[in-house]
Every structure is written in C-alpha cells, then in structure tokens.
Amino acid sequence: MGQSASSRLTDSPPAVVGGISTATDYTADLPDDCLALVFQSLGPGDRKRCSLVCRRWLAVEGRSRLRLALDARAALLDVAPAIFARFDAVSRLTLRCSSRTDSIGDEGLALVAARCPNLASLKLRACGALTDAGMAAVARYCSGLRKLSVGSCAFGAKGVDAVLRGCPLLEELSIKRLRGLHDPSATAELVAGAASLRSVCLKGLYNAQCFAPLIAGCPNLKTLKLIRCSGDWDPLLKNMAARVPGVVEIHLERLQVTDSGLAALSVCVDLEVLRLVKTPECTNAGLAAVADRCAHLRKVHIDGWRANRIGDEGLQALARRCAGLQELVLIGVNPTSRTLELMASNCRRLERLAFCGSDTFGDAEVACIASKCAALKKLCIKGCPISDQGMEALAAGCPKLVKVKVKRCSGVTPECADRLAASRNGKLAVNVEADEGSAAVQQAEGTVVFGEFGIAEDTGGAERPPLASVDRASAAGPLSSKSRRTARKKRAGFFASRRNLVASALRRWSHGSSYSRHSHR
C-alpha cells in the first residue's frame, strides 16, 4: 500500500536538495510567523511545493492559508474534514461547481461552515444542490461573514434572508442568476433592511424586486448595481433615494428605468460613479437632472445603445456642473465638438476618455481633445470615423498622455501609430488594432474593449480576437513594439525561477556556510 504525501515527509527539510548537501536546517530558528509571511508572498503552485518539503512547512503553510478555492462537487463531503483540519484559518472561501455535475449539498455546506468559524468571504458558484437549509447553516456557524457572492445556485430568498439575519456584519451582497426566486410567497417575509450592508449587486434575476425593501432599508448603502433584472425599477430608485441618500456608486444595466427614476437619484448628492448601460428610456433630461445636483461625479459611463436619447444636452449639463469629472466613457453616443470643448474647458481633471461607435467623433473632435484636455492620460477610440490626420494632432497636445488605443477605425494606419509613439520619445504607448466586423458587432463589443483598456468593466458580451494587431511605441522607450513578447518571456522566466525557490535558497545558504567555514581556517 502506498503512503500519503504527509506520511513521507520528514520533520525538517531534506539533507539534499537539488543535488546539494544541506547538513544544517537554516529555517529551524525562523519563527513560524515569519515562515508564514514568506509563504503568503508566494503563488498557489509554490505554496503547494513548499508544503511538501517537511512536516513543519506543511503545518505552517496550512495554518497560514487564508484563501481557499475548492471544486464543490458532491464528493467534497467525504474529504472536507481532512481539508479543513489542515486549513483551519481560512477566511475567504470559494466553492465552485459545474451545472453538468452534482454539487455539494446542504450537509456538506454545513460541515464546511462549521469548520470555518473565521469565514469572512464566501463565494458559491453553480451549486445546484444547495437549498435554504444549507444557507441557514452558513448563518449559524459563520456569524462574522462580511461578503457573500452567489451565482447560478438553486436556493431562494429564504436562504438569503437567513444569512442577512444571522450575519450582522455582512457588508457586500452579490446575487447573480439565483434560480429559487420564482415563488412570491417565499419572499414576503424577507428582511427589510440591513444596517451593515454597503454594497448590493443583483444580476440576471427574474424576481429581483423582492429585494427592493432590503435595498431601501440599508441606511449605509454605498454601491448599488442592478444588471439585467426584470420589472419596473423607477419606484425602487425613488424610494431608495429618499431613504438612502448616501449612495456613491450606481450601475444600471439593461433595466426598465426612465428619467423619473434617474432624476430621483439626484437626491444622492454624494454620488461619484454613474453607469448607464443600455437603458433606452433614459434621456438627456434624466442625465441633466442628476448632473445638476450631483456635482461630485468622478466617473460616468454611458452606453446609449445607439438610441440617440442621450447627446449634447445631457453631456453639456454634465460638463457645466461636474467640474471634478475624471473619467468619461461614451458608447453609442454622438457628442459634437461644442460638447467636447465645454467638457475640456470645465472638467480640468479629466484623465480618461473612451468613445465607441460614435458617428460624430471624427478628426475635428480628436484635435479638440488634443488642444484642450491637458490632464488626459488615457484615450480609447473604437469604431469611430477618425483618420491619421486626427491622430497626428495628439502629437502636440495632451502632455500627460501615456496610452492610446484605437480599434476598428479604418482611417488610422500602423505607420501613423509609429510616428505618434516616436514623437513622445517612447513615453506614449499606442495600440492600433485592425478594422473588422460590422458596426453592430463593434457596438455589442464596446464595453469589453474598454475593459481591456482599463477604463470600464466588462458588463456583457464576448470579445472576438482581432485579425491583426499592431502595438506601437518608440524602440528606445519602455513600451516597444516587442513589449508583449518581452513581457511574456520575463513572466515565464520569473515563474520558472520561483519553482526552484526552496532549492535556490538552500543552495545560497549552503554556499554561505561553506564560505564561512573557509574564512575561519
């Protein structure tokens, strides 16, 4: 019969590592806490390898591991006691399964929760066998839980309610594609508020409005994200704004919300981040109402869905009232030069700009940005009628510009990108990707592209790989046309070197000891 890995370990590091004799254990005098700090700076692969060095390292690595991600198939029930006997300090746990396999059930989740009394963050993905009883066990054993994120699970509102009532410190709640919300009677007694909640995200829910009393009853709520949830959301926004005026971030995507609900948010005078994605019933009037009273807005993302309901009027109101604006993303919106001039003149801190699928954003508008936006650092343009002429205007403007990304703009050539990068002596990274696909495809993928650029998060869609890509910067600068290949080589070499971390460290210690012995002779 074979032995387990732990039974084959010695009490101290082996006498020979990598072909080098190490008669002395140089980690013996190192306190466990210090050794744990070393392990915490390593990646998962290196931590696993270090845990196989000796029994002491195995124990210290297990006690110091705070994050754990497990395959949450039904078989986890059998091995969970052994896993959590070793990893007894886990505070952030992810249980992930597949819809094609049987997931862990209530008994398994209760066992895991009982073994993790210090759990602060729990993520559940595709755990279809869990019911409300399993979530009640989480609430019973993990009262210190601060973050709960569930996706594609089958339990219902009673399970969420149990956590809200049993975890008084819960700050973040994310519910995505929860399949157990179909019974209205089960949501009637859902807790109507939680004083500790600061962030709520609801995505892809059929009966998401059952959480409306909860949202409106969270006095300390700061972030609200509502994405692809059915129903009329104007009443919730009005009720929430009246009772929770301290919200600082709002994300509304593919919702039935009108100017009435949007205007209600103007009561939230501390609002800093506003994302309106594919909400065709929101118009200039709603945006202007928010801008008029929410003067602290720093980030605004608008995906107009080419509905032409938001344009110059709303954007100009934003420019006049929100002087501290730092980031503006416009997808399917058609601003004119007059709007951009006003934005550049009033919003002196504007650092990040992105335009996608705008029919009116051409060379004149690029030239306007180049001459007016002195603080601009990042610029992304996709599917707009610009050419080399407009891009060349950036060479003499925007002195703080460090990154430009252009995609699917047929009038911009790689040669222009070369010249623009060379004009800044390698301090400007210019990326030009070839034109492909129809305007509709460009519009559907706009948000994803901006996510790659580092401006907007991915809110839907799937990005297709481009046919050709040219990354241009001066050869003398830190970001040359070979930067991607060089970076990949550096990363490969870095990870390869870390694989031999233990052997290298012991080798150095061995050499140092040898040198010391020779020096005393």
Side-chain angles (χ1 to χ4, degrees), residues 42-51 495 498-501:
L42 305 179
D46 286 331
R47 290 193 68 138
K48 292 176 182 177
R49 283 182 280 273
C50 285
S51 68
F495 288 117
R498 289 181 62 179
R499 295 190 188 102
N500 297 319
L501 172 69

Side-chain angles (χ1 to χ4, degrees), residues 68 70-87 95 104 108 111-112 115:
L68 198 60
L70 299 175
D71 185 343
R73 284 181 282 188
L76 179 61
L77 175 62
D78 299 327
V79 297
I83 291 176
F84 290 99
R86 176 184 170 193
F87 304 110
L95 299 177
I104 188 175
L111 176 61
V112 170
R115 295 297 187 106

Side-chain angles (χ1 to χ4, degrees), residues 456-469:
E457 66 181 17
D458 183 358
T459 56
E463 178 67 10
R464 295 188 303 172
L467 292 178
S469 174

Side-chain angles (χ1 to χ4, degrees), residues 224-261:
L224 176 63
K225 298 181 181 181
L226 302 174
I227 303 171
R228 295 198 296 274
C229 295
S230 60
D232 180 9
W233 288 93
D234 282 349
L236 166 67
L237 295 180
K238 293 177 182 179
N239 191 20
M240 184 207 70
R243 298 176 61 186
V244 192
V247 175
V248 297
E249 179 177 355
I250 295 285
H251 182 149
L252 306 177
E253 179 175 349
R254 298 200 182 201
L255 290 182
Q256 183 182 337
V257 57
T258 68
D259 286 340
S260 177

Side-chain angles (χ1 to χ4, degrees), residues 9 77 113 158 186 215 224 247 284 409 426:
L9 296 180
L77 175 62
K158 287 185 177 179
I215 295 172
L224 176 63
V247 175
N284 286 319
C409 298

Side-chain angles (χ1 to χ4, degrees), residues 46 95 104 171 174 177 187 203 208 210 268 282 285 289 292 314 328 391 461 473 479 491 493 505:
D46 286 331
L95 299 177
I104 188 175
E171 297 179 353
S174 176
R177 301 175 297 279
T187 65
K203 180 177 180 180
C210 69
C268 305
C282 293
D292 187 53
L328 178 64
M391 292 293 293
L479 294 168
R491 287 195 295 270

Side-chain angles (χ1 to χ4, degrees), residues 12-207:
S12 59
V16 178
V17 176
I20 298 175
S21 176
T22 56
T24 304
D25 176 11
Y26 292 94
T27 67
D29 296 329
L30 193 66
D32 288 354
D33 291 343
C34 293
L35 191 58
L37 291 176
V38 174
F39 291 156
Q40 288 174 1
S41 68
L42 305 179
D46 286 331
R47 290 193 68 138
K48 292 176 182 177
R49 283 182 280 273
C50 285
S51 68
L52 298 176
V53 171
C54 63
R55 290 193 181 95
R56 182 195 174 209
W57 287 27
L58 177 70
V60 172
E61 195 279 330
R63 291 196 302 268
S64 64
R65 187 178 289 245
L66 304 180
R67 300 183 183 184
L68 198 60
L70 299 175
D71 185 343
R73 284 181 282 188
L76 179 61
L77 175 62
D78 299 327
V79 297
I83 291 176
F84 290 99
R86 176 184 170 193
F87 304 110
D88 57 359
V90 171
S91 61
R92 303 182 65 177
L93 177 64
T94 298
L95 299 177
R96 190 184 304 273
C97 193
S98 169
S99 58
R100 296 185 295 272
T101 59
D102 293 334
S103 76
I104 188 175
D106 293 338
E107 182 183 358
L109 185 59
L111 176 61
V112 170
R115 295 297 187 106
C116 299
N118 299 321
L119 198 63
S121 173
L122 175 62
K123 293 183 180 180
L124 301 173
R125 294 292 182 269
C127 296
L130 293 180
T131 69
D132 296 334
M135 299 307 296
V138 171
R140 183 165 59 253
Y141 293 113
C142 306
S143 59
L145 196 68
R146 293 180 177 272
K147 178 179 180 180
L148 175 65
S149 176
V150 299
S152 302
C153 294
F155 59 86
K158 287 185 177 179
V160 178
D161 181 71
V163 174
L164 290 170
R165 294 180 186 276
C167 303
L169 301 179
L170 193 69
E171 297 179 353
E172 296 182 38
L173 177 64
S174 176
I175 304 175
K176 303 177 181 179
R177 301 175 297 279
L178 193 62
R179 299 193 295 270
L181 298 178
H182 56 277
D183 184 7
S185 62
T187 65
E189 298 181 0
L190 187 65
V191 61
S196 60
L197 268 183
R198 299 176 62 86
S199 174
V200 173
C201 174
L202 305 178
K203 180 177 180 180
L205 301 181
Y206 173 74
N207 191 22

